[in-house]
Amino acid sequence: MADGTLWRRLRRAAALAGVCTGLAVAVALGLPGAAGSTTTPAPAPSSGTPADAHVGAPAGEPTSSHPVVAMASDPATGGYWVVASDGGVFSFNAPFYGSAGALPLARPVVGATATPDGGGYWLVASDGGVFSYGDAGFYGSEGGRHLNQPIVGMTATPDGGGYWLVASDGGIFAFGDAGFFGSTGSMHLNRPVVGMAVAPGGGGYWLVASDGGIFAFGDAGFFGSTGSMHLNRPVVGMAVAPGGGGYWLVASDGGLFSFGDAGFDGAATGLLRRGAVGMDVSNAGGYWIVSADGGVYAFGGAPFSGSVYVPPMVGEVITIDPGHDGGNAGAAAFIDQLIDRGNGTESCDTVGTETADGYSEHAFNFDVGSRLEALLQAEGATVVMTRTNDTGVGPCVNVRAGIGNAAGADAAVSIHADGGPVSGRGFDVIAPLPVVSPISDNTAVVPASLGLAAAVRAAFAADTGEPTSDYSGVDGIDQRNDLGGLNLTMVPKVLIECANMQNPVDAALTESPQWRQQAAQGLADGITAFLEAGQVP
């Protein structure tokens, strides 16, 4: 793609243009209203229009520092609970019975279900650990046991006397009065199972795979699937029509597929800023779709009671690599050792440059990197630094690349200042060229790295006022294959030369704390723009 987000959009392909009811296509209409309010006019919206949805972060809206993973409806009040991956529970027109938000979980929470009377709920973690609250009974768990595949969801029996856990291979674990009616645990699946739902009488259940394949067991009827259809976005969950005569499937772009007597009341296609993670049915008619950023989208008769604000960078991992180090000058034997950069060798590291006044590049890099770390953490990101002080030696450039790779970073940036010609000014963002070698292959992340470079260039120029380099690159962007940190990357990565320390004008800027804050802000804005573009389903 021109914006370079292809690497991330391999998992975030273009949104479905509509919603299938059987094989018919219906397009969701309308726009979300402001979160925490009621869409006007007050009467229920027409089919296909969301009653309300999360937008922004209004005052008083609860904030989660972890992505939302599930929701469960309260049959007693008509409200709902929204659940985050740390086990945090957010109640909307529903009683709060407790959460796992303060517990040290071995694995993240992946699902939730309410008791039939709304007097409690269960949470389940990916290791099969079960947490029960209110009048929800504890009937057992898989926590602490070896699982072939992680748990992806759960559902309760109609009388609340038991529950089932389902793993991504379709393995079923039944507890309490939950009967075992079969599983896909021993079958070869084209795609992993992502959820399940129980038949109204408790005599059967459905499993749904990410391709929309449906597996019906016991007295659960089969009403259709999308298993043979091409989907642009994977299915992430399902819900059953009140009488059990049909079901809905929801895709990560908010697309809705309805089968049997499950009516279509609308979809969130084109409205989401982050992918949908599940849905639930309202006893007033209609249903809700919930997204990873805590947005709740209500359709049909389902009331909107509120949503959760998840900061934009929550769930994103960013590696910051402040170039060079303060102790490099005294460790020539170490930094001069040769390392394999994939297509040749280069020095482990270098000392870097400095201004005419003696302000060092390594100090500049670390200062801007630390400021950037604070900005990204404030947005909810997980930040991994390749060095945590400015008094050490190294690490070598191949180790720096390895730190970002090991972190599975969604984006990485190496921060530098240049030692160019005295007459030259400006910044330059360097992206990798493809390098394939016995120790590396960065080909897959080259397009995304170019996208990251474009986003950083635009934001850095806007926030700092610094011109693009007049002696390096083209319009502020360069591609190279002679830098080990870029050759060896397996994640989207750029190296930025923020300014030319040999130029008197640029040197004065690098020595200014205010400008260094602007530089950090420019990097933060560019990284955020790149990652947010990839979040849109």
Side-chain angles (χ1 to χ4, degrees):
M1 290 187 177
D3 65 1
T5 60
L6 178 60
W7 179 83
R8 295 179 61 76
R9 294 202 182 187
L10 292 175
R11 297 167 294 158
R12 298 183 172 100
L16 287 169
V19 183
C20 291
T21 303
L23 294 178
V25 176
V27 179
L29 304 174
L31 294 173
S37 66
T38 301
T39 300
T40 55
S46 61
S47 177
T49 305
D52 214 323
H54 165 88
V55 176
E61 187 175 58
T63 297
S64 173
S65 58
H66 297 268
V68 164
V69 295
M71 75 179 302
S73 61
D74 182 353
T77 67
Y80 46 81
W81 297 277
V82 174
V83 181
S85 64
D86 65 342
V89 174
F90 302 87
S91 301
F92 298 94
N93 192 30
F96 177 75
Y97 299 112
S99 78
L103 298 177
L105 301 181
R107 293 292 185 271
V109 167
V110 293
T113 192
T115 60
D117 63 359
Y121 42 74
W122 296 272
L123 311 181
V124 64
S126 64
D127 62 355
V130 172
F131 307 86
S132 56
Y133 300 93
D135 65 4
F138 178 76
Y139 305 109
S141 78
E142 291 298 309
R145 299 181 183 178
H146 171 73
L147 298 175
N148 292 328
Q149 296 296 329
I151 298 297
V152 294
M154 74 180 304
T155 193
T157 59
D159 64 0
Y163 43 74
W164 296 270
L165 311 183
V166 61
S168 64
D169 61 356
I172 293 290
F173 305 88
F175 298 92
D177 65 4
F180 178 78
F181 304 107
S183 78
T184 63
S186 61
M187 297 172 57
H188 170 73
L189 301 178
N190 293 327
R191 294 292 186 272
V193 167
V194 294
M196 72 179 302
V198 63
Y205 42 72
W206 296 270
L207 310 184
V208 62
S210 65
D211 62 356
I214 293 287
F215 305 88
F217 298 93
D219 63 6
F222 178 78
F223 304 106
S225 78
T226 63
S228 62
M229 297 172 58
H230 170 74
L231 301 179
N232 289 329
R233 299 293 290 138
V235 167
V236 295
M238 73 179 301
V240 177
Y247 41 72
W248 297 272
L249 312 183
V250 61
S252 65
D253 64 352
L256 225 294
F257 302 82
S258 57
F259 298 92
D261 63 6
F264 173 71
D265 290 312
T269 311
L271 305 178
L272 305 181
R273 294 179 301 180
R274 280 202 175 188
V277 294
M279 69 179 299
D280 209 342
V281 179
S282 169
N283 57 11
Y287 44 76
W288 299 277
I289 295 173
V290 63
S291 60
D293 66 354
V296 173
Y297 298 77
F299 300 90
F304 176 79
S305 300
S307 59
V308 178
Y309 175 65
V310 178
M313 291 295 98
V314 164
E316 305 285 7
V317 178
I318 301 163
T319 297
I320 300 173
D321 175 27
H324 313 294
D325 207 336
N328 281 9
F334 180 83
I335 67 170
D336 288 346
Q337 62 181 306
L338 296 180
I339 60 96
D340 188 345
R341 69 179 182 214
N343 61 356
T345 61
E346 67 178 89
S347 297
C348 156
D349 205 354
T350 59
V351 174
T353 189
E354 63 181 15
T355 68
D357 293 333
Y359 181 58
S360 66
E361 181 194 354
H362 64 77
F364 169 84
N365 298 342
F366 187 72
D367 184 83
V368 173
S370 298
R371 293 171 187 267
L372 175 59
E373 177 186 27
L375 291 169
L376 293 173
Q377 287 176 335
E379 293 184 4
T382 297
V383 178
V384 177
M385 300 285 285
T386 61
R387 60 184 177 101
T388 57
N389 58 61
D390 195 40
T391 58
V393 176
C396 296
V397 293
N398 57 338
V399 174
R400 294 173 189 255
I403 291 171
N405 295 343
D410 297 292
V413 59
S414 185
I415 301 170
H416 288 258
D418 202 12
V422 173
S423 60
R425 277 203 69 198
F427 75 92
D428 185 27
V429 186
I430 305 170
L433 282 168
V435 173
V436 179
S437 76
I439 66 166
S440 66
D441 183 354
N442 67 1
T443 307
V445 299
V446 167
S449 297
L450 277 171
L452 176 59
V456 167
R457 173 188 60 185
F460 195 85
D463 289 350
T464 65
E466 179 76 355
T468 57
S469 176
D470 56 16
Y471 63 91
S472 181
V474 177
D475 195 21
I477 291 182
D478 198 359
Q479 277 190 283
R480 292 170 58 177
N481 64 0
D482 61 340
L483 298 172
L486 298 180
N487 290 4
L488 303 176
T489 189
M490 302 294 289
V491 301
K493 184 176 183 180
V494 297
L495 184 154
I496 182 169
E497 300 282 8
C498 295
N500 178 14
M501 282 186 146
Q502 300 306 301
N503 177 274
V505 176
D506 276 6
L509 293 175
T510 64
E511 292 171 357
S512 164
Q514 179 180 350
W515 191 85
R516 294 199 295 271
Q517 185 65 34
Q518 291 174 316
Q521 189 66 61
L523 292 173
D525 289 346
I527 292 168
T528 299
F530 167 75
L531 293 177
E532 283 190 321
Q535 290 171 359
V536 177

